[in-house]
Amino acid sequence: MNPPSIVIHNLVKNYGETRALDGVDMEISPGEIFGLLGPNGSGKTTLLRIICSILDYTSGYVRVSGLDVSRDSLKVKRITGYVPETPVLYESLTPTEFLNFIGSVRRIDHETLARRIESFASAFEIMDKMNTFIGSLSFGTKQKVAIMAALIHDPEIIILDEGMNGLDPRSAKILKNLLNDYASRGRTIIFSTHVLEVAETVCTRMSIIYRGKIVDTGTLEDLRERSGTSKLEDIFLNVTGEGDLGPVIKSLRETMSS
Amino acid sequence: MNHDIFELSRRIVAEQRYLALKDSPKFQEKTGRSATQGARYIERLIFITYGVTAVSMIAFSSFLTYTQIKLPNPVDHLQTLSLLLYAYIFLISLYSFIMFTNIVRTYRLFEPLKPLPTRIGRQVLPLSWFVFTGSSSLFVIVPILWAYIYITGNILSAFTGVLWAFIMLGLGYTAGSAMIYILSGSVERKRGLWSGSISTILRVTGFIAFFILFEIAIQIPQEIPVLPSIRGHLAYLFVPLLNSAYIIFPAAQPSSYVYYGIGASFIYALLAIGLFIVVNSRTFSRVTQTETVSYNAADTSQKKLHESKSGFYLTIFRKDVRNIFRKSQNFLMMLIPVFLVLPTLLSIFFYSSDVSFGSISIYYSMLAIVIVSSAFYSIVLIISEGNGISVLQALPVRLRDIIYSKEYVGAVVFAAIVAPISVLFLIKTRGNPIIFFLFPVNLVIAYVYSSLYNLRRLMRKVPRGATTVNFYSFGGNTELVVLFAITALLISLPTLLSTAISYISLGITFSHSVAFYLSTLALNLLSLFIVMNIVNNSK
């Protein structure tokens, strides 16, 4: 069996006095599509940004393909591709210019870059938008450009923070197939989402994170077995202690009708 | 005052500061304890920034006023100094409004208010800027007015002096608004075609030409040829705009001038208010306009999917150039040094034919341009990234690569501005042909090493994982003053040393000397080497 490509041990991240990650342990192997599930503000984005060496951590141990993310920041960034939660791009550039910029910084050879841009653009059906300013594109199209930018260098590790956000069903399907293909080639994929159907159909293994702690990890079958329920939604609500929503909904209904 | 409008004005400023601070560990520590502490921290920072600016204005003009009252005929000298200080209010007002609006536009701070069932008052933008930023520059006139009243016992100047200060502040705001309206319109309409846009160049040139005339009018009124030809009482209606001393210090003029001065000041105040109302409403709609509208002119007909092959630095250079010249708010900021140094340039231009002015005197004066541009472009080149800083942070690029790529953009713009100006001045002073080459080269090298150092200082202040950067991420005006000081120190050392060397070796501080420029060049190159070494070792 291949050694894990991502190893995290007792990871802590504080923002001032707020603890965003509290002793996270995780191991992800090559070929896995690993889902990170959790409610809003549970620490998913912080964890992903630490893995791709964008953010420092307070204490613990994080290795990506054997590299220390705090010491070997540049090397980690070379082998990772990151899609942020909301697509942050240079709005005054066109997708063509932006992807050429990314490709050039990542030192992809000219012909390969051109071929990849063309292939992605036609797969995501944005050929006609490639020379329009990013600032004028819809959210979904910006998301496609952000995905293309993250995958253009064929990274070893792919990190998607709510990667399906804003994608139309066709593009979402293409992305799922693409991720499966990358996984079959031994790439590691981490995928954060709170859309549970996406996690069910895409991820081979997943962790549920709640208030900065990993509360459960395993395949969908493992999680089902441990929680005694079959629906991922119920598993999620049970392990995060948010299972009984009745009183909340009742209170809301009363407020709105009064 | 309508409470809602004031509250909205305060909200806009607080939001600017929040965006600048949110990624800094210190602020995260405060908000980590409680949101209230974070909010208090922001409020305190707004107050402190305002206070520091006001106090430094008073300190700056106290120093200048003190030097004038020690001279014979202090009242005359105070009048002359007042021209500079009132022009200064105008320039600071123009600059700070453009910086302020830049953040409002970049982060679309009016956007969340648009869906609300409320009219976003056009008053919010000027009020927000005036109360929390712009009015701090008014304090620059306090010492000179106090000194004047103390010496002459004339209380009237307190009224006319303050009124004129408000007029200059209003004119600075109006000029800034006009710049945003005229220039941003042209840049945005020409997106994708900017390189060939003769119309954009003409608009910018036209605006700068108009601005130069205005600057001459308020600062060097004796150079306006029309002035002597205005006869009789009419002259005293025009004179105040051209020579504000008539308004500010009416008691120093013959008694009949007093009424003309006061009358004219009211006429100009009314004109300024009218101009303000006309320009303000147009600028407000431009500032709150959704960016998407202005992007529609993009050329979608091209089928090009890849660009010509370029090296690493050229790629980032190209990205920065596009980012700056296609976004009108960034483009405007690149122009600000030109406006800030205009008074110096005009003084040099009008007085450089004086026998006592050699090219070395001009060289010293031109260093002011290096100081302003180096400090300013360093900040602009980083804050033009805005949210894009997170793109850079996710890429495998070293700190020094970012610094050098930004340096290229700044150096090219600086060289484009300084080279023709240098040649113009040298022609005027009939300098040695070798100096024609050494003069601008020295200035450009001084710019390069000082801005490299400034860029490094600023980039190291960007927290790891930052999601955005703006003017206040580095401390706003306070950091700008620090950068001015650092740059002044860095570039004056080789120049002063060179002057000392020439004095010691030849016993004279010579003008038009090739030796001075050669020794300055050697010391500048040494400074460049040292700074590059520091940058190359930056982590």
Side-chain angles (χ1 to χ4, degrees):
Chain A
M1 192 180 162
N2 288 329
S5 49
I6 296 173
V7 180
I8 299 170
H9 180 60
N10 201 19
L11 177 66
V12 173
K13 169 68 186 174
N14 294 334
Y15 289 110
E17 289 182 6
T18 307
R19 181 153 287 195
L21 295 176
D22 190 4
V24 170
D25 289 300
M26 196 178 271
E27 281 194 5
I28 306 169
S29 300
E32 277 195 292
I33 303 180
F34 191 88
L36 194 59
L37 315 183
N40 298 332
S42 55
K44 299 188 297 287
T45 300
T46 300
L47 178 57
L48 296 184
R49 283 163 68 81
I50 289 172
I51 293 171
C52 50
S53 194
I54 295 173
L55 198 62
D56 279 328
Y57 53 90
T58 309
S59 64
Y61 174 96
V62 184
R63 291 277 186 281
V64 172
S65 291
L67 300 165
D68 182 328
V69 293
S70 57
R71 265 215 322 260
D72 302 311
S73 178
L74 278 186
K75 287 179 185 165
V76 171
K77 285 176 184 176
R78 271 188 204 119
I79 58 165
T80 52
Y82 171 61
V83 181
E85 192 176 6
T86 44
V88 181
L89 311 160
Y90 290 111
E91 304 219 329
S92 59
L93 300 186
T94 64
T96 298
E97 289 167 351
F98 181 72
L99 294 169
N100 273 281
F101 162 70
I102 298 288
S104 186
V105 170
R106 290 196 174 278
R107 299 174 199 269
I108 304 170
D109 84 77
H110 200 54
E111 285 70 33
T112 311
L113 180 64
R115 207 176 53 245
R116 284 180 188 168
I117 291 176
E118 187 160 1
S119 165
F120 276 124
S122 52
F124 282 129
E125 292 189 318
I126 58 164
M127 271 300 213
D128 59 334
K129 305 280 194 302
M130 290 301 284
N131 293 302
T132 306
F133 290 108
I134 290 171
S136 69
L137 299 177
S138 68
F139 180 84
T141 311
K142 283 181 188 170
Q143 182 72 354
K144 290 174 188 174
V145 177
I147 292 168
M148 289 161 74
L151 301 181
I152 202 89
H153 58 297
D154 193 16
E156 271 179 47
I157 317 280
I158 301 163
I159 298 162
L160 299 102
D161 193 354
E162 307 288 351
M164 298 284 182
N165 270 358
L167 293 187
D168 53 69
R170 182 183 178 280
S171 304
K173 177 124 179 110
I174 289 173
L175 181 62
K176 283 179 203 167
N177 286 336
L178 210 55
L179 295 181
N180 280 324
D181 183 52
Y182 275 103
S184 66
R185 289 195 288 131
R187 304 288 193 248
T188 308
I189 296 141
I190 314 178
F191 195 101
S192 95
T193 185
H194 43 223
V195 183
L196 302 178
E197 295 80 20
V198 172
E200 271 181 307
T201 54
V202 174
C203 303
T204 50
R205 207 159 63 94
M206 56 195 84
S207 272
I208 298 175
I209 184 169
Y210 183 62
R211 292 185 178 170
K213 288 184 174 175
I214 301 290
V215 287
D216 206 353
T217 301
T219 61
L220 188 55
E221 289 311 309
D222 294 337
L223 299 181
R224 277 181 181 144
E225 203 175 304
R226 280 198 286 271
S227 70
T229 57
S230 60
K231 281 175 72 181
L232 184 57
E233 187 181 41
D234 293 332
I235 299 171
F236 179 82
L237 292 172
N238 282 344
V239 295
T240 56
E242 296 174 342
D244 188 10
L245 297 177
V248 180
I249 295 167
K250 185 169 171 264
S251 158
L252 202 57
R253 199 175 284 146
E254 280 169 7
T255 310
M256 297 310 289
S257 59
S258 62
Chain B
M1 187 188 292
N2 185 327
H3 178 74
D4 285 349
I5 292 176
F6 187 79
E7 192 47 40
L8 275 180
S9 306
R10 203 186 56 81
R11 186 72 259 132
I12 296 291
V13 176
E15 189 65 19
Q16 287 186 339
R17 301 297 202 279
Y18 170 76
L19 287 166
L21 289 171
K22 67 174 187 171
D23 297 314
S24 81
K26 193 176 174 187
F27 182 67
Q28 284 174 356
E29 193 189 316
K30 301 268 179 202
T31 43
R33 284 194 209 126
S34 76
T36 322
Q37 276 208 26
R40 274 202 210 118
Y41 182 67
I42 290 176
E43 296 289 339
R44 215 166 41 237
L45 197 79
I46 293 170
F47 179 75
I48 290 170
T49 311
Y50 186 94
V52 167
T53 313
V55 168
S56 49
M57 290 284 168
I58 291 173
F60 166 68
S61 86
S62 294
F63 170 73
L64 292 178
T65 304
Y66 181 76
T67 58
Q68 302 302 302
I69 56 175
K70 290 285 164 194
L71 297 169
N73 305 322
V75 172
D76 292 346
H77 289 292
L78 287 178
Q79 287 189 22
T80 312
L81 176 64
S82 74
L83 291 177
L84 175 76
L85 293 181
Y86 281 87
Y88 187 72
I89 294 179
F90 170 78
L91 286 170
I92 290 288
S93 160
L94 180 143
Y95 137 78
S96 71
F97 179 66
I98 289 175
M99 294 305 281
F100 185 87
T101 316
N102 174 279
I103 301 174
V104 170
R105 293 183 75 200
T106 304
Y107 296 104
R108 300 181 186 179
L109 296 185
F110 280 101
E111 208 62 23
L113 304 175
K114 283 185 179 174
L116 299 178
T118 172
R119 283 183 182 279
I120 306 169
R122 285 177 177 146
Q123 306 94 308
V124 170
L125 190 65
L127 187 71
S128 177
W129 167 78
F130 173 77
V131 174
F132 300 101
T133 307
S135 57
S136 61
S137 65
L138 291 172
F139 287 90
V140 81
I141 55 148
V142 172
I144 193 165
L145 286 182
W146 183 84
Y148 184 82
I149 293 165
Y150 182 76
I151 293 170
T152 64
N154 180 256
I155 300 289
L156 184 64
S157 287
F159 169 72
T160 50
V162 170
L163 179 67
W164 193 247
F166 273 94
I167 292 174
M168 294 311 271
L169 193 78
L171 283 175
Y173 173 92
T174 309
S177 294
M179 270 181 81
I180 290 164
Y181 183 74
I182 296 169
L183 302 181
S184 66
S186 64
V187 171
E188 283 172 2
R189 273 197 295 279
K190 299 295 173 188
R191 275 172 201 280
L193 304 168
W194 66 272
S195 54
S197 173
I198 295 168
S199 139
T200 302
I201 294 165
L202 286 178
R203 275 166 190 260
V204 173
T205 315
F207 193 88
I208 292 175
F210 176 79
F211 193 85
I212 289 173
L213 283 177
F214 185 75
E215 267 293 313
I216 294 171
I218 60 173
Q219 226 198 327
I220 317 170
Q222 62 273 27
E223 295 295 336
I224 301 284
V226 75
L227 191 57
S229 68
I230 301 171
R231 292 284 177 265
H233 292 191
L234 193 60
Y236 302 111
L237 275 179
F238 283 100
V239 156
L241 176 68
L242 307 177
N243 190 345
S244 49
Y246 282 77
I247 277 182
I248 306 156
F249 309 113
Q253 323 301 332
S255 59
S256 63
Y257 287 31
V258 175
Y259 305 105
Y260 288 118
I262 295 171
S265 67
F266 275 108
I267 292 170
Y268 284 114
L270 285 175
L271 279 175
I273 292 167
L275 205 60
F276 165 80
I277 291 167
V278 171
V279 175
N280 183 51
S281 60
R282 286 160 192 258
T283 308
F284 181 76
S285 51
R286 178 72 29 98
V287 169
T288 51
Q289 178 182 306
T290 310
E291 283 264 36
T292 351
V293 176
S294 55
Y295 283 113
N296 287 344
D299 181 7
T300 55
S301 61
Q302 299 173 52
K303 294 287 172 235
K304 196 181 83 168
L305 284 181
H306 52 92
E307 300 190 305
S308 55
K309 193 173 181 177
S310 58
F312 174 75
Y313 287 119
L314 188 59
T315 302
I316 302 187
F317 172 83
R318 204 152 60 176
K319 186 271 293 176
D320 278 341
V321 168
R322 284 166 171 160
N323 200 22
I324 284 165
F325 287 91
R326 284 180 184 173
K327 275 203 161 177
S328 54
Q329 60 262 46
N330 293 339
F331 178 65
L332 271 173
M333 289 199 295
M334 292 301 276
L335 285 179
I336 286 180
V338 179
F339 293 101
L340 288 184
V341 298
L342 264 179
T344 315
L345 290 183
L346 290 171
S347 304
I348 301 169
F349 191 77
F350 283 111
Y351 301 120
S352 60
S353 51
D354 196 303
V355 188
S356 62
F357 261 80
S359 74
I360 293 179
S361 313
I362 300 175
Y363 182 77
Y364 272 108
S365 307
M366 292 284 281
L367 289 180
I369 302 174
V370 180
I371 294 171
V372 173
S373 306
S374 171
F376 216 85
Y377 285 167
S378 304
I379 286 193
V380 170
L381 286 165
I382 295 175
I383 64 176
S384 65
E385 289 289 337
N387 296 333
I389 195 77
S390 58
V391 176
L392 276 189
Q393 295 224 4
L395 288 172
V397 280
R398 290 169 299 186
L399 180 66
R400 72 178 203 202
D401 296 330
I402 298 173
I403 294 171
Y404 281 121
S405 64
K406 302 243 171 245
E407 182 56 46
Y408 294 147
V409 182
V412 167
V413 175
F414 178 79
I417 290 171
V418 89
I421 294 171
S422 308
V423 170
L424 192 68
F425 290 148
L426 290 170
I427 289 170
K428 211 167 154 48
T429 54
R430 294 176 212 92
N432 182 315
I434 301 169
I435 296 174
F436 270 67
F437 171 74
L438 292 175
F439 187 103
V441 165
N442 266 319
L443 289 174
V444 171
I445 295 173
Y447 168 84
V448 169
Y449 71 74
S450 60
S451 56
L452 269 176
Y453 190 85
N454 290 338
L455 281 166
R456 175 184 174 271
R457 177 185 157 81
L458 294 173
M459 279 307 295
R460 282 161 64 98
K461 283 190 163 198
V462 177
R464 209 162 125 83
T467 49
T468 189
V469 275
N470 73 35
F471 184 56
Y472 299 103
S473 305
F474 308 107
N477 283 329
T478 318
E479 179 62 22
L480 199 59
V481 172
V482 172
L483 290 182
F484 283 151
I486 292 174
T487 314
L489 190 71
L490 283 174
I491 65 170
S492 61
L493 277 175
T495 317
L496 291 175
L497 211 57
S498 206
T499 310
I501 290 168
S502 57
Y503 185 77
I504 292 162
S505 58
L506 298 171
I508 46 163
T509 48
F510 37 72
S511 60
H512 293 98
S513 168
V514 175
F516 167 81
Y517 289 104
L518 281 174
S519 58
T520 308
L521 180 67
L523 290 167
N524 274 341
L525 286 171
L526 179 68
S527 306
L528 177 65
F529 174 76
I530 294 168
V531 173
M532 281 177 73
N533 215 29
I534 295 171
V535 171
N536 290 344
N537 291 316
S538 299
K539 294 254 163 112

